[in-house]
Amino acid sequence: MSAAPAGGHGPPARAYPIAIPRAAGGAAIVIGLAALTGWRLGIAWLTSPVPGPATMNPTTALAVVLLGAAVWLNATRPAALAGWVPQMLAALAGFVGLARLTGYVFGFDPGIDHLLFADRVAATPSRLAPHTALTLLLLGAALLLEPRATRRAQVAVQVLALASSVAALVSVTGHAYGTELLTGAMALNTALAFLLVATGVLWSHPEAGVAAVFASPTAGGVLVRRLVPAIILIPFLLGWLGLVGQRAGFYDIAGGTALFVVCIIVVLATFAAWSTRSLDRADAERVAAEHALRLGEERFRLLVGSVRDYAIFMLDPTGHVASWNRGAQQIKGYTPEEIVGRHFSSFYPPEAVAAGGPAAALRAAAETGRFEEENWRLRRDGSRFWADVVITPIRDDRGALLGFAKVTRDLTERQRTEEALRASEERFRTLAVTANDAIISADSHGDITYFNPGAERIFGYTLHEVSGKPLTVLMPERLRDAHRAGLARYVATGEARVVGRTVELVGQKQDGTEFPLELSLASWTRGPEVAFTAVIRDITERKAAEETLRRYAAQLESANAELDAFAYSVSHDLRAPLRSLDGFSQALLEDWADRLDAQGTDYLQRVRSASQRMAQLIDDLLNLSRVTRTQMQVGPVDLSALADGIATELRTRDPSRQVEFAIAPALVVQADPGLMGVVLENLLGNAWKFTGKRPRAHIEVGVTRHNGHPAYFVRDNGAGFDMTYADKLFGAFQRLHGSRDFEGSGIGLATVQRIIHRHGGRVWAEAAPDRGATFYFTLS
Amino acid sequence: MTQKTMSQRMILLVEDNPDDEALTRRALAKNNIQNEVRVARDGAEALELLFGTGGQGGHAIAPELVLLDLKLPKVDGLEVLRRIRADERTRLLPVVILTSSREERDLVSGYGLGANSYIRKPVDFGQFLEAVRQLGLYWLVLNEPPPPRRPAA
């Protein structure tokens, strides 16, 4: 660490303790003033505290006062005082010493000794000893140089002050040992005052020089603080004791000296051993502490090095990369070898570099202590990423800039997430705003927090009007208590009767009109609070439609019941007269045959066949109505087996016919078995009937595909029909052939169509006259 | 009334239509079924004959077979059948439903109440004749009737 503060920005020198220079300066002033007082009042012990010829000359006393004042002022620096005053005082004192010394060198008396109290000085006599004059000069020069900050000046100050100390110490020792040889005629109080002033000078810059060595917290400082006083005091005291013993005649010079030496060796060796031991211990502690610190640093380095999501690296004061962690490599793509030593502007896009971004960032960080921004940065491959950058200056404990710490985070993903979130919010907001249904949110008190445009349209309130109002404003008076109770119960116990379900309720518009609504209520938690979202649909129209539908259903039911009663009556009562017609005609033919001619017989036969045809018609009609009246029982139906059975029956009924059946196997459908039987009976019966005039009749039952669905068919090679009349085919009582050619009621295909429709299917035919016909049907 | 043997017991014909009654009698005659035929013209009369509850202090008849129409004045045929089956004296009496209808509900109710047969009267008299012939052959000749009931107290 350099002795001088760095540049003009260093910490103020006066921040250091000023107690020592101040106390030293003050003590020197007191000693000087005491001597002057002694001269003034003739008190000898104040001018010369020990017996002997040496006294403090009044001029010396004055100079001592000046030096002490200079030290004191240097330490205190009162604001009202001009900066040059202490130097002036020091210069005066130094001049006194210089003048007297010059007199000694050139052999004249400059009259300095007699400046004050000339009579008493002459009487004593007293003069400034050369020794004293030299010390005054040294100390004056030291104090004159002290404010100068250059290293050379400071070294000079130290040397001058130390030299003065040695001179003063010599005098003090001489006085203590009672030898003129060393006192140099410098009075003891003078010597002490000089020591004080020298100490004050040395301590006015405690951060440098001798004082710094003493104040240092290092082992060296400890050693100096212990050894120097010991080295000074122990020989001094032992020498003095030896001298006293010698003078008292306890031993001769050789013995005294030997004793002195032995004592010094023992005491100093003991002292050195003690100091070394404690130093050793301190050093061991220091080593341990350093080890711990290194370990901590190592851990910290590993920690930073292993961080992958953050680029953490150092820049030197000029912005060159000094360190590089794994996260930096991960995010920016450079290896440490590639990037350490390069300028960090490599991370900026060219336009940011051109605009002076990197330099501005460092400047801002250095001046404000922190620089942060979110902006684009470049990776090694030139691609950009959205970065969060923090730059922090790093300074030593005296404020000198050591470099910058830079932490960079890749926010691209976060930014993308935020954008997606924004888009998603926008989507949901649009959904809520454009929805036809009312979407209403409420807090746990049931107060409205959101009211979408659909709600405004349905209820007639604006969001502004109902925001914060209880939901009860949207319902008729009679429902409000139930609502409040339900809400309280749900919030307290979580027991839901409406929440999570869709219910039909009654709402009330702003103008007071009530309307039916469908409510889907959901609850959710926001922190500790329960909140609700209701989706409400005005079902006025649906209700009306449902009512109409219900009415139709009731009408249909009553119509069906009527039809049923009608059919029951027909089935019993309409056939009885036919039986009479037929029966009694037969009786006439049998019992009165002899009275009937051929024409009479013929007429009776016509009555009989008409009655039987009528009976058949009635049966067919009843079948047709039964098809619609019976409940369907849907299950698997094997059409192939059904068709086989019907074919067998047809052959049995008319064994004379030559009809070839080709029935595809395993045609299984989901349908009502009874009704499918009726369908096949009709279709196969028709095919049987209309192939009646073919010598080789052929009837086929199979399946094909129509519009992707299976279409079952019954095909014959019979009479066929003209497709022009195909639309009449399935109407009741519609016949395309005369009864003379083919008998039939014209109800069979109507029945087939009705059954197929009841199954959700379709039936149609393809035919040509004399080319046969094919009837297709599908089932849902 | 024709003379009858002990084995030729009577047939009770429950029929409100006189034409049907005449045709049934003709069909029976044509098929040489000689049993006496008692006719009840409504359900109430049929029950009076069977249980002897008639106004003129008549006693209960014990027919070998009942031919029962369903659609009848006063008490309909199904009710007559229910009462026949409910009474200890007539519980085992063979009852053949002979009616115009073959509505499913009539069939189900008829068999459900314990009818022994259900025959639909065909319109064609030739077929009717054949039906009666088979009916007579089966119920009056082939079928072993339940043992005669003990005389009513």
Side-chain angles (χ1 to χ4, degrees):
Chain A
M1 211 172 289
S2 89
H9 290 295
R14 295 295 138 186
Y16 293 103
I18 54 171
I20 291 175
R22 220 155 60 169
I29 291 171
V30 167
I31 290 173
L33 287 176
L36 284 173
T37 311
W39 281 110
R40 178 72 180 83
L41 301 177
I43 302 167
W45 65 268
L46 285 177
T47 56
S48 180
V50 289
T55 57
M56 186 190 275
N57 183 277
T59 308
T60 308
L62 184 66
V64 162
V65 170
L66 293 175
L67 288 172
V71 168
W72 193 85
L73 288 172
N74 259 342
T76 316
R77 289 256 163 114
L81 194 78
W84 48 267
V85 170
Q87 280 177 282
M88 249 285 289
L89 300 178
L92 271 174
F95 178 72
V96 166
L98 180 65
R100 193 65 193 87
L101 207 56
T102 312
Y104 283 120
V105 172
F106 294 104
F108 67 95
D109 181 4
I112 297 286
D113 307 337
H114 309 285
L115 276 178
L116 298 165
F117 312 110
D119 298 344
R120 292 177 189 262
V121 169
T124 305
S126 171
R127 63 179 182 113
L128 264 85
H131 200 151
T132 305
L134 177 65
T135 311
L136 270 178
L137 178 60
L138 293 176
L139 285 172
L143 276 163
L144 204 59
L145 285 172
E146 194 254 29
R148 301 190 61 169
T150 63
R151 189 179 159 77
R152 276 167 95 178
Q154 289 302 317
V155 171
V157 167
Q158 296 280 323
V159 171
L160 291 170
L162 282 172
S164 314
S165 303
V166 171
L169 198 64
V170 168
S171 272
V172 171
T173 312
H175 281 293
Y177 284 57
T179 168
E180 290 281 322
L181 178 68
L182 291 181
T183 59
M186 186 191 282
L188 179 59
N189 48 353
T190 307
L192 286 174
F194 284 161
L195 270 177
L196 285 167
V197 170
T199 306
V201 170
L202 288 172
W203 279 95
S204 61
H205 283 291
E207 76 280 5
V210 175
V213 174
F214 268 88
S216 165
T218 62
V222 171
L223 207 60
V224 164
R225 280 197 295 281
R226 278 187 193 158
L227 287 184
V228 168
I231 285 170
I232 292 171
L233 285 177
I234 290 169
F236 186 90
L237 285 173
L238 287 174
W240 186 75
L241 283 173
L243 198 60
V244 168
Q246 214 171 45
R247 282 191 185 146
F250 294 145
Y251 36 75
D252 57 7
I253 292 176
T257 307
L259 204 59
F260 168 74
V261 169
V262 169
C263 282
I264 278 194
I265 288 171
V266 170
V267 172
L268 282 185
T270 309
F271 196 77
W274 172 66
S275 292
T276 312
R277 229 184 107 204
S278 76
L279 265 183
D280 240 16
R281 199 175 300 144
D283 200 44
E285 280 168 19
R286 188 184 51 78
V287 167
E290 274 176 2
H291 181 70
L293 186 66
R294 225 179 7 253
L295 208 64
E297 276 177 356
E298 176 68 9
R299 282 189 193 132
F300 185 68
R301 202 182 57 75
L302 285 171
L303 179 69
V304 169
S306 65
V307 168
R308 299 180 68 95
D309 298 333
Y310 288 79
I312 302 174
F313 54 100
M314 299 285 293
L315 301 177
D316 69 12
T318 56
H320 292 86
V321 176
S323 78
W324 198 245
N325 80 333
R326 190 182 299 190
Q329 182 165 350
Q330 177 104 352
I331 291 174
K332 296 184 187 268
Y334 294 97
T335 62
E337 295 75 37
E338 287 171 323
I339 196 66
V340 169
R342 280 177 61 182
H343 196 260
F344 84 117
S345 56
S346 314
F347 308 139
Y348 282 72
E351 67 273 10
V353 176
L362 287 193
R363 207 163 43 242
E367 283 172 8
T368 65
R370 179 184 168 91
F371 171 80
E372 174 159 15
E373 73 167 344
E374 281 190 19
N375 213 326
W376 291 108
R377 290 291 187 273
L378 289 187
R379 296 195 185 90
R380 181 176 180 274
D381 60 11
S383 62
R384 293 182 178 215
F385 66 99
W386 187 257
D388 173 65
V389 180
V390 178
I391 302 179
T392 317
I394 295 181
R395 297 182 185 279
D396 68 21
D397 53 8
R398 312 175 83 210
L401 185 67
L402 302 178
F404 297 93
K406 202 168 171 238
V407 178
T408 302
R409 199 152 42 115
D410 184 348
L411 297 185
T412 314
E413 193 55 38
R414 200 184 75 184
Q415 207 197 14
R416 206 173 289 146
T417 311
E418 280 172 0
E419 267 167 26
L421 194 65
R422 258 197 304 280
S424 163
E425 275 172 2
E426 173 69 16
R427 258 199 315 279
F428 281 105
R429 205 179 57 77
T430 311
L431 187 69
V433 166
T434 58
N436 258 327
D437 293 344
I439 300 175
I440 301 171
S441 295
D443 59 22
S444 60
H445 307 291
D447 292 339
I448 294 168
T449 53
Y450 179 70
F451 205 69
N452 79 331
E456 294 182 336
R457 201 163 48 242
I458 288 174
F459 286 97
Y461 292 101
T462 64
L463 167 62
H464 181 68
E465 286 169 329
V466 292
S467 189
K469 296 250 174 65
L471 281 168
T472 47
V473 303
L474 304 177
M475 55 189 77
E477 190 67 47
R478 62 181 188 281
L479 296 181
R480 293 182 184 174
D481 283 342
H483 163 78
R484 291 191 197 102
L487 176 69
R489 186 190 57 243
Y490 181 74
V491 171
T493 69
E495 183 196 342
R497 294 196 189 155
V498 177
V499 172
R501 307 211 337 247
T502 300
V503 295
E504 290 188 2
L505 284 172
V506 178
Q508 189 172 40
K509 301 189 183 202
Q510 191 196 22
D511 62 12
T513 55
E514 294 185 6
F515 66 100
L517 59 80
E518 187 183 79
L519 164 71
S520 298
L521 191 60
S523 77
W524 39 284
T525 47
R526 189 168 41 194
E529 286 277 286
V530 182
F532 302 93
T533 296
V535 178
I536 291 170
R537 176 169 296 180
D538 182 346
I539 54 170
T540 307
E541 284 177 23
R542 199 177 74 192
K543 277 287 180 193
E546 280 174 5
E547 184 50 41
T548 310
L549 207 60
R550 222 181 346 266
R551 217 166 42 238
Y552 285 160
Q555 281 172 1
L556 188 65
E557 201 164 328
S558 99
N560 260 342
E562 241 167 68
L563 180 64
D564 203 40
F566 173 74
Y568 188 75
S569 163
V570 164
S571 130
H572 277 278
D573 300 341
L574 235 52
R575 286 161 53 89
L578 298 175
R579 262 200 315 280
S580 302
L581 286 176
D582 187 82
F584 293 115
S585 303
Q586 179 65 24
L588 276 177
L589 285 171
E590 282 173 12
D591 297 355
W592 279 271
D594 52 334
R595 302 191 213 167
L596 285 172
D597 60 7
Q599 197 171 17
T601 308
D602 177 50
Y603 288 170
L604 281 173
Q605 286 295 357
R606 282 171 193 263
V607 170
R608 283 199 67 200
S609 65
S611 323
Q612 284 165 21
R613 215 166 40 244
M614 175 89 182
Q616 185 60 49
L617 257 172
I618 289 168
D619 280 353
D620 287 350
L621 272 175
L622 285 173
N623 274 339
L624 179 64
S625 85
R626 191 176 292 124
V627 167
T628 22
R629 286 183 290 128
T630 52
Q631 281 284 322
M632 290 222 301
Q633 309 264 328
V634 174
V637 180
D638 186 347
L639 293 183
S640 306
L642 262 181
D644 278 332
I646 294 163
T648 307
E649 196 186 312
L650 289 169
R651 279 207 182 97
T652 314
R653 210 184 292 167
D654 193 351
S656 62
R657 288 277 308 276
Q658 287 288 322
V659 180
E660 185 187 329
F661 280 95
I663 296 168
L667 302 176
V668 179
V669 298
Q670 284 291 323
D672 180 294
L675 294 178
M676 288 322 288
V678 174
V679 166
L680 287 183
E681 270 166 26
N682 275 290
L683 293 179
L684 288 171
N686 280 350
W688 181 272
K689 186 161 64 186
F690 292 109
T691 50
K693 295 177 179 166
R694 289 277 182 276
R696 285 187 60 84
H698 185 87
I699 298 174
E700 184 185 353
V701 177
V703 63
T704 177
R705 289 198 84 77
H706 181 78
N707 291 341
H709 297 284
Y712 304 91
F713 64 85
V714 175
R715 178 174 295 147
D716 64 61
N717 61 346
F721 55 87
D722 187 344
M723 285 294 283
T724 318
Y725 307 109
D727 57 330
K728 291 185 172 180
L729 210 54
F730 297 99
F733 306 110
Q734 297 287 342
R735 305 198 67 235
L736 298 186
H737 301 272
S739 316
R740 222 176 286 276
D741 294 331
F742 299 101
E743 58 184 15
S745 60
I747 293 174
L749 286 177
T751 307
V752 167
Q753 189 184 46
R754 217 172 259 199
I755 291 170
I756 296 302
H757 284 180
R758 278 197 82 183
H759 282 84
R762 205 169 84 73
V763 59
W764 70 99
E766 284 172 4
D770 273 329
R771 305 266 292 272
T774 307
F775 286 83
Y776 298 91
F777 64 88
T778 60
L779 298 165
S780 66
Chain B
M1 292 295 150
T2 51
Q3 194 68 31
K4 65 175 193 299
T5 64
M6 282 301 289
S7 64
Q8 285 180 322
R9 288 161 58 194
M10 82 176 71
I11 296 170
L12 174 61
L13 176 65
V14 189
E15 174 60 80
D16 64 320
N17 186 337
D19 285 1
D20 276 348
E21 183 195 329
L23 289 172
T24 306
R25 283 185 186 279
R26 182 177 170 84
L28 287 170
K30 285 260 173 195
N31 285 309
N32 290 320
I33 296 172
Q34 304 293 330
N35 303 50
E36 179 195 354
V37 176
R38 286 290 293 272
V39 177
R41 292 192 167 76
D42 58 53
E45 190 184 343
L47 292 172
E48 280 163 17
L49 286 171
L50 282 170
F51 300 120
T53 53
Q56 305 92 325
H59 60 276
I61 61 165
E64 183 162 12
L65 180 66
V66 177
L67 297 175
L68 180 66
D69 194 7
L70 288 182
K71 210 154 177 272
L72 295 167
K74 295 182 184 172
V75 178
D76 75 12
L78 290 174
E79 177 61 17
V80 171
L81 176 59
R82 200 185 60 74
R83 296 236 201 131
I84 288 172
R85 288 294 177 251
D87 195 289
E88 186 57 33
R89 291 166 290 176
T90 52
R91 200 163 54 84
L92 303 175
L93 181 59
V95 176
V96 173
I97 292 174
L98 189 65
T99 187
S100 304
S101 146
R102 59 161 194 210
E103 286 292 295
E104 189 175 307
R105 62 169 129 145
D106 288 339
L107 282 161
V108 170
S109 315
Y111 281 117
L113 287 170
N116 298 81
S117 277
Y118 190 112
I119 290 168
R120 191 189 185 214
K121 294 181 219 167
V123 167
D124 185 327
F125 185 74
Q127 288 175 25
F128 186 54
L129 210 60
E130 173 63 14
V132 170
R133 187 186 71 77
Q134 290 191 20
L135 188 155
L137 178 67
Y138 180 82
W139 284 108
L140 301 174
V141 179
L142 293 177
N143 189 50
E144 284 297 338
R149 72 186 190 216
R150 279 187 299 277

